[in-house]
Amino acid sequence: PRVLKTHAPPSLLVGAHRRGLAALPRRLKVLVITRNPLDACVSCYYHPTNSPAKRGWPFAAWAETWFSGAVPRG
């Protein structure tokens, strides 16, 4: 068995980017591990160097923007 750890979505794997996921081997197993969206929202509010918290955004406004999809990776 081979393991490939990546942050890329399965659609970007070698062979899939041009012909779609159907081009990947039939026995391929993909394990997707995600993070609690609220946890990621809070983390991105406080931790970046130029964070919204340091720029004076209220958390409620940040969370609304985050969950609307207007923030990259949000």
Side-chain angles (χ1 to χ4, degrees):
R2 294 181 183 161
V3 176
L4 173 66
K5 179 183 177 246
T6 180
H7 288 105
S11 61
L12 293 181
L13 293 176
V14 173
H17 67 282
R18 288 194 183 113
R19 297 174 301 199
L21 293 176
L24 295 173
R26 293 180 67 190
R27 294 181 50 181
L28 177 74
K29 294 180 182 166
V30 177
L31 176 64
V32 178
I33 300 172
T34 62
R35 190 172 173 187
N36 179 325
L38 184 56
D39 177 53
C41 177
V42 171
S43 213
C44 286
Y45 180 72
Y46 287 108
H47 294 296
T49 304
N50 192 18
S51 74
K54 293 174 187 167
R55 288 183 281 153
W57 275 51
F59 180 75
W62 169 254
E64 185 176 329
T65 304
W66 173 273
F67 287 109
S68 75
V71 176
R73 297 180 185 90

